[in-house]
Amino acid sequence: MSLYAFLALCFIPLVSGFVVLMLVVPHLKIRYCLWACVLSITAVLPIAFIQYFVLGLPVFNTNTFISLLITTIIFNGLIEETVKMFFLALIPQKKVTLSCFLACCFLFGLTLGSFESVIYLVKRMQEIGLPNELPDVFQLIIMRMFTAVLIHTFCAGLSGLYLWLFRHKQNKILPFVYAVLLHGIYNFFAAFSTGYRWFSLVTIVFAMLECRIWYKYIKNPKSEESA
């Protein structure tokens, strides 16, 4: 399998998500979807800058439990999700429904996760080369499709729901807090090579459920408050 084929595989979640959302979300405009993808690609630049320069600081560069916890919560959680939310705020909310806005946020996360997979793919190929370790590269891409790409998608959804609440005069920061913590906790457990790694999957499921809970709350807040 060629390098271009592997690169194409990285974008399967994005292409699939784009098609599905266009089919199932009423009144979703393709120009908003494309704009969300462009914003996500732009967001990769400051995130990559922070990753390669800020993570060089001593507190982020030691193999200790505390260092790993600080790195995942502060960088992967707080800093990365804050950068993502800044760009998510540039997605238009006027004249769009909540479902359309959330779909754009999901596409934002899918795009970021897909491009991040490309970065990891290139890095892995630089380390092991081609074509000797093709099964390992293929496994890396497939694994990221169902883990890292999904956590980016649902955390982007949570941050987007917070922005929707904020712009509609509802002071509820909890969705963004969940995005920060769940992204950080995901990366913390994903860094393990032991059985603890499976706990990262729990954070993905939890993020998905929180997206659903907050979406339903915004759609019908009175029923949620009386429950």
Side-chain angles (χ1 to χ4, degrees), residues 26-45:
H27 312 299
L28 181 60
K29 298 183 183 299
I30 191 170
R31 66 175 183 271
Y32 289 157
C33 295
L34 293 174
W35 177 237
C37 295
V38 170
L39 288 172
S40 183
I41 296 170
T42 308
V44 171
L45 298 177

Side-chain angles (χ1 to χ4, degrees), residues 6-20:
F6 280 123
L7 292 174
L9 280 176
C10 293
F11 291 98
I12 287 180
L14 173 58
V15 174
S16 302
F18 198 105
V19 173
V20 170

Side-chain angles (χ1 to χ4, degrees), residues 16-227:
S16 302
F18 198 105
V19 173
V20 170
L21 289 171
M22 288 298 301
L23 291 174
V24 303
V25 179
H27 312 299
L28 181 60
K29 298 183 183 299
I30 191 170
R31 66 175 183 271
Y32 289 157
C33 295
L34 293 174
W35 177 237
C37 295
V38 170
L39 288 172
S40 183
I41 296 170
T42 308
V44 171
L45 298 177
I47 291 173
F49 176 86
I50 294 171
Q51 182 175 1
Y52 283 102
F53 290 94
V54 176
L55 289 184
L57 297 174
V59 69
F60 294 120
N61 202 28
T62 57
N63 288 325
T64 65
F65 180 88
I66 297 299
S67 173
L68 177 61
L69 189 61
I70 292 174
T71 300
T72 55
I73 296 297
I74 294 182
F75 172 71
N76 300 114
L78 182 60
I79 296 177
E80 190 169 330
E81 289 301 324
T82 300
V83 172
K84 286 165 61 178
M85 187 174 67
F86 173 81
F87 285 93
L88 283 169
L90 301 178
I91 299 176
Q93 287 192 26
K94 293 182 178 179
K95 299 181 180 180
V96 298
T97 63
L98 173 61
S99 58
C100 289
F101 179 72
L102 182 59
C104 290
C105 293
F106 283 155
L107 285 173
F108 181 100
L110 284 169
T111 304
L112 192 95
S114 297
F115 270 91
E116 190 179 73
S117 294
V118 170
I119 295 172
Y120 276 85
L121 171 63
V122 172
K123 182 179 179 182
R124 177 65 65 89
M125 288 183 172
Q126 289 176 342
E127 294 173 351
I128 66 177
L130 279 173
N132 297 326
E133 302 292 341
L134 293 184
D136 289 341
V137 175
F138 183 77
Q139 182 180 3
L140 171 69
I141 297 172
I142 298 301
M143 180 183 69
R144 289 189 59 83
M145 283 184 187
F146 297 99
T147 54
V149 174
L150 291 181
I151 197 66
H152 274 298
T153 302
F154 295 126
C155 284
L158 286 169
S159 294
L161 291 169
Y162 162 71
L163 286 171
W164 185 276
L165 286 164
F166 178 79
R167 288 181 174 175
H168 288 78
K169 312 300 182 183
Q170 296 189 56
N171 187 25
K172 294 185 181 295
I173 197 174
L174 201 54
F176 178 67
V177 173
Y178 276 132
V180 170
L181 293 179
L182 290 173
H183 193 169
I185 294 171
Y186 165 82
N187 279 79
F188 176 76
F189 284 113
F192 287 93
S193 57
T194 61
Y196 289 109
R197 188 181 185 90
W198 292 103
F199 283 102
S200 63
L201 300 180
V202 178
T203 63
I204 297 173
V205 175
F206 195 82
M208 178 182 65
L209 292 175
E210 284 300 319
C211 282
R212 176 177 172 79
I213 290 170
W214 283 99
Y215 176 81
K216 290 178 64 178
Y217 167 79
I218 296 172
K219 292 288 287 186
N220 193 5
K222 292 183 179 180
S223 65
E224 293 291 327
E225 291 174 357
S226 63

